[in-house]
């Protein structure tokens, strides 16, 4: 019985350590693809001009845009990609003009950024892990 008591604490400590170290930490790339959409919403006195969007180093530039809103085509981001991001530029007519950029991943808004003024630029990104 004394031997059992002496071994019980070290055995429990080793079991606890093993359980803590074996948990899935999910720090690596995603193992599934994702559907991603980028959106820009400007105030009524804003004119959206340029969008750069994509994932990791796969970026697309949309220029000569106009209007107060813009939505990217839905892109399928492959498994293993790490980051989706967009930078949108617009021109406002006064210091109260505003621009909001959103990143939607699998139908869920993951990030949002905004800018105010006459020269507007907003960057939003989402981790895909």
């Amino acid at each position: 019985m004394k031997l059992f008591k002496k071994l019980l604490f070290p055995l429990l400590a080793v079991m606890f350590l093993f359980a803590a170290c074996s948990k899935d930490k999910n720090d690596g790339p995603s193992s599934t693809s994702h559907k991603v959409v980028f959106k820009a919403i400007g105030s009524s006195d804003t004119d959206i001009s340029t969008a750069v969007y994509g994932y990791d180093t796969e970026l697309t530039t949309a220029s000569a845009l106009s209007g107060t809103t813009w939505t990217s085509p839905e892109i399928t981001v492959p498994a293993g990609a790490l980051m989706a991001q967009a930078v949108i530029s617009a021109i406002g007519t006064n210091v109260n003009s505003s621009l909001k950029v959103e990143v939607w991943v699998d139908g869920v808004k993951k990030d949002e950024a905004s800018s105010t003024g006459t020269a507007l630029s907003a960057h939003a990104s989402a981790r895909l892990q």
Side-chain angles (χ1 to χ4, degrees):
M1 186 67 157
K2 286 183 179 183
L3 181 61
F4 177 74
K5 287 182 180 180
K6 285 182 180 181
L7 292 177
L8 182 61
F9 180 72
L11 181 60
L12 288 175
V14 168
M15 288 175 55
F16 177 76
L17 182 62
F18 177 74
C21 291
S22 66
K23 288 186 181 177
D24 181 16
K25 297 218 182 333
N26 196 18
D27 288 336
S30 173
S31 61
T32 61
S33 64
H34 297 282
K35 301 291 185 184
V36 178
V37 174
F38 305 95
K39 297 181 181 183
I41 303 107
S43 57
S44 62
D45 59 344
T46 300
D47 191 33
I48 297 170
S49 55
T50 306
V52 179
Y53 63 96
Y55 60 93
D56 295 344
T57 59
E58 298 296 320
L59 302 175
T60 300
T61 301
S63 57
L65 302 174
S66 65
T68 59
T69 62
W70 174 82
T71 301
S72 74
E74 180 179 82
I75 59 174
T76 300
V77 177
L82 299 174
M83 182 76 65
Q85 56 191 336
V87 178
I88 314 292
S89 298
I91 301 296
T93 59
N94 63 65
V95 295
N96 295 319
S97 299
S98 64
L99 174 68
K100 179 171 58 172
V101 176
E102 300 173 342
V103 180
W104 292 76
V105 179
D106 298 327
V108 177
K109 184 167 53 170
K110 294 293 188 173
D111 193 29
E112 178 180 290
S114 60
S115 177
T116 58
T118 56
L120 302 158
S121 180
H123 171 258
S125 61
R127 291 176 59 105
L128 299 172
Q129 303 175 29

